[in-house]
Amino acid sequence: MKRQIWLLTFVSLLIVMFVPWSFTLKSGQATTVQSVTLSGLRAPVRVVRDSNYIPHIYAENDHDAIFMLGYLHAQDRFFQMDVRRRQVSGRLAELFGQGALSSDIQLRTLGLDRAARESFASYGRPMQALFQAYSNGVNAWLNDSSQPLPPEYRALEISRQAIPAWTPIDSINVGKGLAFSLSNSISEEINLSLSLSAYQSAGDNAGFDGTLLFFEDVFRSAPFDPTVSLPGFMPKAKIQSSSKLNKMLIDSLRRLPQVMTPAVRQLAQEYLNEINSSPYVRELFDRRAADIGSNWWIISGRNTTTGHPMLASDPHLALDTPPIWYEAHLIVSNDPEFGPMNVNGVTLAGAPGVVLGCNDRICWGATVNPLDVTDVYLEELRNGPDGFPAFTVFEGREEPLVLIPQKYLVNRVGDGVVDNLVRANVGPAEGGVTLVVPRRNNGPIVRVLFGALGLSVQYTGWRSTLEFDVFRQWARARNLDDFKRGLESFDFGSQNWAYADVDGNIAYFTTVEVPVREDLQAGMIDGVPPFLIRDGTHGARNEWLPVQNRQPGQSLNYEILPANELPNAVNPPQGYIANANQDPIGTTLDNNPLNQLRPNGGIYYLNVGYDGGFRQGRVVRLIEASLAGGNKISLRRMQRIQANDQMLDAEILTPYILAAFNNSADAPGELGALYNDQRIIDAVARLRRWDFSTPTGIREGYDPGDDPDNLPEPSREEIRHSVAATIYSVWRARIIANTIDAVLTELGLQNNLPGSDQALAALRHLLDNFETNKGIGASGINFFRVPGAPTPEAARDTIILRSLREALDLLASSTFAAAFGRSTNQEDYRWGRLHRIIFDHPLRGPFDIPPAAGFSNVSSQLLGVARNGGFQVVNASSHSARAASVNAFMFGSGASRRIVADMDPAGVIAFQIIPGGQSGVLGSPFYANMLGRWLTHQYHRVLLSPGQVQSDAVSEQVYTP
């Protein structure tokens, strides 16, 4: 794989010399007007490009508006679109070659493409027509030989003739791939099962309770910060806690060894390894590991300076080149069937319609709600006459599998032959035949131990779903009722939706079809909980209940939670709502996600765990501080909250460093020596004056408010906070290493460490409860071990300060030499030399930013662009909490779009930005024309009225049939 990427990069370097650069007029110059004949349109369409190269599409009907959107997407982003559709449908090797074949095998097995085909057949006539119009627009561009292909195809040795025509299925696949990446929990459930099994085995061998070590001490459901979105939601729903259910959960966890036999552990580990072996697959799995999330908050008009509701939203996704979103404005004068439309926002290149945006009456935003809509099952298999698996066993009876043969093609990149695709030799057992279990919502068997066992996946997205119809409806929604009707079509890809309108309303809705499990509805956990590998034979009652009470717009043929049991609120008394992927209503705050009851019986279950609450905790603190004393929030204040880069974990944990230092003043031995270490004295003084912010502290760094075209020297205050951020961030890694990780490694569990959020939640739990538990977990294991320490408190303080000394040693060592040159002068430890980002392109090399689009690396040894931010800050730019080397603090996900909006009835006032440019064509001046502003937290106006568009117009094309 590495060799192939190197080859693609080498070829791409050769072709860059021949990439044509094109230029356009700058804002304020006379608008150019060009007439273009375009077959497939029903009436003339006018496309006005503004100074950001954002198209404003004026059409007489929906068909032409969407046709034109497809054409412009292809013109600006075709390679990105092509990669997305091939990745999700399992045909990426036809583009990238042999290195993508394993990805194709896994994606064909999962079957999003099968679900897309079924979905298209289920869509109503209006949506089918829009999918076809969009495809026709894409193909109008693709079939025009006067339009040059993106330069990537030259590197891949593919001609226009070998590129398949765009279809409606391709568009649905693009959407399903994004929704799948945000909602599936396959790898999480497998990893939790393997980890719990390892903890239980370790406990059996060493004489401690491995279940309690796992669930109560280390892999806690309870978040780091307990701030929720809707205080009091559960009491309003008459959901009551039950102490009986607390014991039930632990007992159920202790039953895992009945499922996780050595053969099953092997099966599960092999599949997890398979997922992790392909970057094209890995990016679609494990929401937490990818730091994918989002922020939004909405403020009632009674709390704003204008008296209108305000909305802020920034969905967090991978920060790649080109950006995931494409900005567009669709204006339909009067569609014969649906009337006028005026919607502006971000679109998904490859799919029709505005996904997140505003029309002239409403705005909406979204965050991921990681609801548990996935179950992994252990299946008993029986072979057919040919010796190949043909049946699963359910209640002792054989049930037939559906067998789907697969054929794979591979592009032979680098042989100098254009369009040289060859048949891949993939045997039936290696992925040449896909096994589907009809009972599992047509879910696949993802891993087989031939003649015996298999792992199947039941997931709400495997069958027909209609989520794209939501955006068609919201483009014309006039009020809250219209918006709510649209919600009924959002079936999978669980989201928290923020809503604000010019009538003065704010609202929050969670949408997804959450299956009701039969054992939970009976008020019990049969076998193991649903977030672990479950029994697929019905030896335990682990099935999804068949639909009994079909909900409005429901697609799933299983019972689901009704909308009123999912988190929701309209104009709440507190006057604002915020969400940042954390537990929205508090089902996990007591560390048990399964001890609440539904209003009419059964266990109320949403998910085993959420984001650690770091961003939500900071956002709510900032909102509350802004409203203190009767103050109001302005749109500028909304922008400043969105730009906040203060680390909440630092605010909570730094006082423990300061207290440990104060406690050690007269201590003997190592603790006293730490207190008298001049480096620690200096570092503590810096931490004492720190406001927990994370400026870059370097001239090359991009910080909020900077001029991106003329970066200023950092101020003394920025340098001071920058150095403190560096010291604390390395201390964080060392305190986790010396407590959580040290204990687990000693027990042989070094391959089953908790993730960043959980490690910090566990650490905080131990520190906050130290007065009672003295650092000893529910398992009886001490996490603060210092031989010879006179008291538990002295041991705690020693480890805290020892971790600080080790952090300072590390910063002055060869590990960080590329950034700090082995300096012991703490003033040199500038955060921007560590906290960097490369905006990756699939072919890497010259397509990446930097070096593309005029951006530079911090230095030849420090690749990437320096930007403020850090672990789980609101201005998302996170990295591993264990980061402890010069490149470990780099980040790759964050705000894929920022918007703030004031819902003025006279005209919505909104500002947004994306991290890059509208064009995905290397050499275009719009390849990254908005990136500098994104890096420095600036915005452009969202143009909704004809006058606003015309005032910023720089070019105009009139397309005629």
Side-chain angles (χ1 to χ4, degrees):
M1 182 64 191
K2 289 181 179 178
R3 182 177 180 275
Q4 185 185 14
I5 291 176
W6 175 86
L7 176 62
L8 295 179
T9 301
F10 174 74
V11 176
S12 65
L13 280 167
L14 294 178
I15 67 167
V16 164
M17 296 184 294
F18 304 102
V19 173
W21 283 74
S22 59
F23 298 91
T24 190
L25 295 172
K26 295 182 180 179
S27 179
Q29 294 181 338
T31 301
T32 62
V33 180
Q34 181 184 13
S35 181
V36 181
T37 300
L38 187 58
S39 177
L41 292 173
R42 295 176 179 173
V45 175
R46 188 164 62 100
V47 176
V48 177
R49 294 272 193 174
D50 65 24
S51 60
N52 293 297
Y53 205 58
I54 298 165
H56 304 263
I57 302 171
Y58 292 85
E60 293 182 15
N61 55 72
D62 284 18
H63 171 277
D64 287 356
I66 296 301
F67 179 101
M68 201 69 237
L69 181 65
Y71 183 89
L72 296 176
H73 276 173
Q75 186 179 69
D76 293 333
R77 298 282 190 91
F78 185 75
F79 183 73
Q80 180 187 41
M81 297 162 56
D82 198 16
V83 170
R84 281 179 178 165
R85 66 166 171 173
R86 293 176 191 260
Q87 178 188 28
V88 177
S89 64
R91 289 170 173 80
L92 195 59
E94 297 172 20
L95 194 65
F96 287 165
Q98 185 70 30
L101 181 60
S102 64
S103 166
D104 286 354
I105 293 171
Q106 292 189 59
L107 268 297
R108 297 265 194 104
T109 298
L110 291 173
L112 290 170
D113 184 70
R114 296 191 293 274
R117 294 175 188 278
E118 185 177 326
S119 295
F120 180 71
S122 299
Y123 272 108
R125 180 193 57 79
M127 200 64 225
Q128 286 185 338
L130 291 184
F131 279 126
Q132 191 59 58
Y134 180 87
S135 297
N136 293 345
V138 174
N139 292 327
W141 177 87
L142 186 59
N143 294 332
D144 184 354
S145 59
S146 69
Q147 300 277 353
L149 281 180
E152 290 91 335
Y153 290 99
R154 190 178 303 174
L156 295 168
E157 299 170 345
I158 291 178
S159 73
R160 176 176 256 103
Q161 290 68 35
I163 299 173
W166 197 268
T167 71
I169 306 304
D170 293 327
S171 291
I172 298 174
N173 268 326
V174 167
K176 285 192 180 295
L178 179 59
F180 176 78
S181 70
L182 300 177
S183 63
N184 91 87
S185 56
I186 299 171
S187 60
E188 292 173 40
E189 295 185 6
I190 293 173
N191 186 58
L192 283 174
S193 299
L194 286 168
S195 294
L196 175 56
S197 179
Y199 279 60
Q200 290 170 333
S201 296
D204 291 343
N205 294 333
F208 64 87
D209 193 324
T211 301
L212 292 183
L213 175 64
F214 177 85
F215 199 76
E216 294 288 346
D217 294 346
V218 176
F219 281 81
R220 294 176 58 79
S221 283
F224 181 89
D225 185 88
T227 308
V228 300
S229 296
L230 302 177
F233 177 85
M234 286 194 293
K236 288 180 182 177
K238 298 180 181 177
I239 299 173
Q240 304 171 6
S241 294
S242 169
S243 58
K244 178 182 176 182
L245 296 179
N246 293 329
K247 182 177 183 299
M248 183 187 297
L249 175 60
I250 298 301
D251 289 345
S252 71
L253 294 173
R254 290 190 170 121
R255 290 195 287 269
L256 183 65
Q258 299 170 21
V259 178
M260 297 296 287
T261 65
V264 177
R265 288 200 298 270
Q266 176 186 343
L267 200 64
Q269 189 61 62
E270 286 176 353
Y271 184 58
L272 207 58
N273 294 343
E274 194 174 290
I275 290 172
N276 292 328
S277 68
S278 170
Y280 307 118
V281 174
R282 191 169 60 247
E283 69 183 24
L284 296 177
F285 282 83
D286 202 345
R287 300 163 292 190
R288 296 185 188 185
D291 288 319
I292 290 176
S294 304
N295 306 318
W296 61 245
W297 54 95
I298 35 180
I299 312 294
S300 168
R302 73 172 188 266
N303 287 327
T304 68
T305 54
T306 63
H308 315 134
M310 291 184 182
L311 173 147
S313 175
D314 53 298
H316 306 158
L317 296 167
L319 296 174
D320 298 327
T321 298
I324 190 168
W325 301 115
Y326 179 95
E327 295 192 49
H329 184 193
L330 306 178
I331 310 99
V332 173
S333 59
N334 194 16
D335 183 87
E337 185 172 0
F338 300 108
M341 176 176 70
N342 180 16
V343 61
N344 192 328
V346 290
T347 64
L348 196 58
V354 170
V355 177
L356 299 168
C358 301
N359 64 31
D360 44 12
R361 292 190 57 82
I362 76 168
C363 290
W364 67 94
T367 65
V368 172
N369 188 331
L371 299 175
D372 189 350
V373 297
T374 311
D375 280 343
V376 179
Y377 289 93
L378 177 63
E379 304 283 1
E380 183 181 337
L381 301 179
R382 298 275 174 85
N383 290 341
D386 58 358
F388 197 78
F391 306 93
T392 57
V393 177
F394 187 80
E395 295 181 343
R397 300 185 302 274
E398 291 182 348
E399 293 188 345
L401 293 165
V402 174
L403 276 61
I404 304 173
Q406 305 285 1
K407 181 178 76 172
Y408 301 92
L409 298 176
V410 176
N411 182 23
R412 298 185 66 176
V413 185
D415 63 357
V417 180
V418 176
D419 301 336
N420 188 12
L421 270 67
V422 297
R423 176 82 176 265
N425 184 21
V426 179
E430 286 73 48
V433 175
T434 297
L435 307 177
V436 173
V437 187
R439 167 177 298 282
R440 303 279 170 243
N441 197 36
N442 273 3
I445 291 183
V446 295
R447 192 75 185 179
V448 172
L449 183 64
F450 269 77
L453 303 171
L455 293 179
S456 71
V457 177
Q458 187 158 352
Y459 172 63
T460 56
W462 294 148
R463 299 295 301 271
S464 170
T465 58
L466 307 175
E467 53 279 355
F468 271 110
D469 204 43
V470 178
F471 310 122
R472 179 186 68 84
Q473 296 182 60
W474 286 352
R476 283 187 168 86
R478 312 309 294 158
N479 51 45
L480 184 57
D481 288 339
D482 289 350
F483 187 82
K484 290 168 68 175
R485 275 191 292 274
L487 287 169
E488 295 174 2
S489 297
F490 202 89
D491 305 312
F492 99 109
S494 46
Q495 298 287 301
N496 302 295
W497 296 102
Y499 168 91
D501 66 30
V502 297
D503 296 322
N505 297 302
I506 63 171
Y508 162 34
F509 302 98
T510 298
T511 55
V512 75
E513 297 186 357
V514 181
V516 175
R517 282 88 172 174
E518 59 176 333
D519 56 334
L520 301 189
Q521 187 56 28
M524 61 180 294
I525 305 171
D526 197 1
V528 299
F531 50 81
L532 300 174
I533 297 174
R534 306 199 93 186
D535 176 19
T537 69
H538 216 214
R541 289 181 291 171
N542 294 163
E543 297 300 298
W544 294 3
L545 284 173
V547 63
Q548 300 166 357
N549 305 286
R550 187 169 291 276
Q551 302 299 310
Q554 180 174 341
S555 292
L556 202 63
N557 287 323
Y558 301 91
E559 188 74 355
I560 64 173
L561 292 179
N564 65 357
E565 289 189 41
L566 297 175
N568 68 92
V570 176
N571 298 323
Q574 67 202 45
Y576 70 88
I577 315 171
N579 187 274
N581 315 113
Q582 87 300 336
D583 186 336
I585 58 175
T587 62
T588 63
L589 300 190
D590 63 355
N591 203 50
N592 187 336
L594 286 161
N595 65 347
Q596 290 84 33
L597 302 177
R598 295 184 64 195
N600 298 314
I603 294 175
Y604 181 72
Y605 171 61
L606 298 180
N607 187 28
V608 63
Y610 296 80
D611 177 274
F614 303 89
R615 287 174 286 111
Q616 172 75 0
R618 175 63 66 204
V619 167
V620 170
R621 285 165 171 80
L622 291 169
I623 291 173
E624 292 284 359
S626 300
L627 297 176
N631 290 322
K632 308 286 187 179
I633 290 180
S634 66
L635 205 59
R636 178 60 185 149
R637 180 60 180 162
M638 296 281 277
Q639 293 174 339
R640 286 199 296 268
I641 294 174
Q642 208 169 57
N644 185 270
D645 64 358
Q646 293 173 292
M647 295 189 288
L648 185 66
D649 70 301
E651 181 177 330
I652 301 300
L653 298 181
T654 297
Y656 284 105
I657 302 176
L658 304 182
F661 182 75
N662 294 338
N663 294 341
S664 61
D666 298 315
E670 181 185 0
L671 190 54
L674 290 166
Y675 176 82
N676 289 299
D677 186 321
Q678 187 59 49
R679 295 176 305 157
I680 288 181
I681 293 170
D682 292 345
V684 167
R686 292 177 183 276
L687 294 174
R688 199 181 299 278
R689 294 180 295 158
W690 184 34
D691 67 355
F692 317 114
S693 65
T694 55
T696 64
I698 59 174
R699 170 69 182 270
E700 303 88 345
Y702 292 81
D703 292 282
D706 285 353
D707 177 355
D709 298 319
N710 186 22
L711 294 173
E713 291 289 345
S715 68
R716 290 302 308 161
E717 183 180 42
E718 285 178 319
I719 292 172
R720 179 161 53 86
H721 294 318
S722 174
V723 170
T726 300
I727 293 171
Y728 171 84
S729 295
V730 182
W731 171 85
R732 179 203 290 124
R734 294 311 307 156
I735 190 68
I736 292 173
N738 289 330
T739 53
I740 308 298
D741 292 0
V743 167
L744 297 180
T745 299
E746 184 179 318
L747 297 172
L749 295 167
Q750 63 273 11
N751 295 324
N752 301 99
L753 302 177
S756 294
D757 285 15
Q758 287 175 310
L760 283 169
L763 179 63
R764 181 180 184 181
H765 179 69
L766 290 166
L767 290 170
D768 286 354
N769 294 281
F770 200 91
E771 185 175 344
T772 302
N773 299 328
K774 306 301 181 184
I776 297 174
S779 60
I781 291 177
N782 185 0
F783 287 84
F784 293 86
R785 300 179 183 180
V786 177
T791 64
E793 290 76 12
R796 174 200 61 197
D797 294 343
T798 298
I799 287 180
I800 289 173
L801 294 184
R802 183 192 293 168
S803 298
L804 183 56
R805 183 188 63 196
E806 290 173 358
L808 297 172
D809 289 343
L810 200 55
L811 288 166
S813 73
S814 60
T815 302
F816 285 89
F820 308 129
R822 300 176 184 264
S823 173
T824 58
N825 181 355
Q826 294 178 15
E827 194 76 0
D828 293 335
Y829 300 158
R830 312 291 178 85
W831 179 236
R833 299 184 70 76
L834 302 180
H835 192 251
R836 295 169 277 117
I837 179 172
I838 295 173
F839 297 85
D840 294 340
H841 182 280
L843 297 191
R844 304 303 309 269
F847 294 96
D848 283 353
I849 302 173
F855 287 85
S856 302
N857 295 305
V858 172
S859 74
S860 60
Q861 292 182 292
L862 302 173
L863 303 184
V865 176
R867 206 208 76 180
N868 71 309
F871 182 79
Q872 285 284 24
V873 299
V874 176
N875 190 7
S877 47
S878 204
H879 51 78
S880 170
R882 294 180 172 88
S885 62
V886 75
N887 291 325
F889 296 93
M890 296 181 71
F891 65 102
S893 65
S896 60
R897 170 246 196 179
R898 299 191 190 105
I899 185 172
V900 292
D902 179 274
M903 305 308 296
D904 188 338
V908 174
I909 300 170
F911 300 87
Q912 73 178 14
I913 199 75
I914 61 172
Q918 289 285 93
S919 177
V921 180
L922 184 66
S924 166
F926 305 105
Y927 193 70
N929 59 302
M930 289 183 269
L931 182 56
R933 282 172 285 169
W934 180 90
L935 287 165
T936 55
H937 220 94
Q938 301 175 47
Y939 305 74
H940 68 77
R941 180 75 182 264
V942 176
L943 310 177
L944 277 164
S945 73
Q948 291 170 347
V949 174
Q950 202 57 43
S951 68
D952 195 38
V954 296
S955 69
E956 179 176 330
Q957 293 80 38
V958 177
Y959 294 86
T960 57

